[in-house]
Amino acid sequence: MTVSRKRFPECPIERTIAVLSGRWKARIVWHLLSSPLRYSEIVSVVDGITERALTLALAELERDGVIQKQEQKWAVTNLGQALHASLKRMFVWGSTHAAALPLR
């Protein structure tokens, strides 16, 4: 499968959103920040993801340098590790304001 290289926007916020865009990528990275996981383990911790969606998300995250495959497991790179504080803040914000946000 070939994943095309996209051109990143000039705005740093848009650039970050481009890397984590989509329904699954932020959740995948969040789980991989705890420890490297096998493909099947990612399927089990990211509730509702299809194998096709996971395969595409992993390919895009790998292409963007956020994750890499080490032996039989996926792991965050140093670049991916740098997302930890931002994702933690997003998690806290989402938890704090959950009652005010509609489920989609």
Side-chain angles (χ1 to χ4, degrees), residues 9 14 16 29 90 94 96:
E14 288 182 53
T16 305
V29 173
M90 290 171 68
T96 303

Side-chain angles (χ1 to χ4, degrees), residues 4-102:
S4 65
R5 173 71 71 187
K6 59 187 166 193
R7 183 173 162 351
F8 285 112
E10 298 289 326
C11 173
I13 294 170
E14 288 182 53
R15 190 175 305 129
T16 305
I17 291 170
V19 169
L20 294 174
S21 67
R23 181 173 180 185
W24 308 108
K25 289 194 269 184
R27 288 174 60 190
I28 292 167
V29 173
W30 178 253
H31 286 291
L32 292 177
L33 283 163
S34 298
S35 67
L37 298 171
R38 294 178 184 276
Y39 183 93
S40 61
E41 293 170 323
I42 299 170
V43 170
S44 67
V45 296
V46 181
D47 189 44
I49 194 167
T50 64
E51 289 192 20
R52 176 169 166 64
L54 177 56
T55 299
L56 289 172
L58 291 173
E60 290 175 9
L61 288 166
E62 184 177 35
R63 175 204 62 208
D64 293 337
V66 176
I67 65 170
Q68 65 185 4
K69 195 165 188 182
Q70 299 174 337
E71 298 171 19
Q72 298 298 315
K73 294 186 176 188
W74 289 96
V76 292
T77 61
N78 288 337
L79 184 62
Q81 189 66 40
L83 288 166
H84 188 257
S86 298
L87 289 174
K88 173 101 177 168
R89 282 188 219 111
M90 290 171 68
F91 179 88
V92 169
W93 186 88
S95 297
T96 303
H97 301 288
L101 300 169

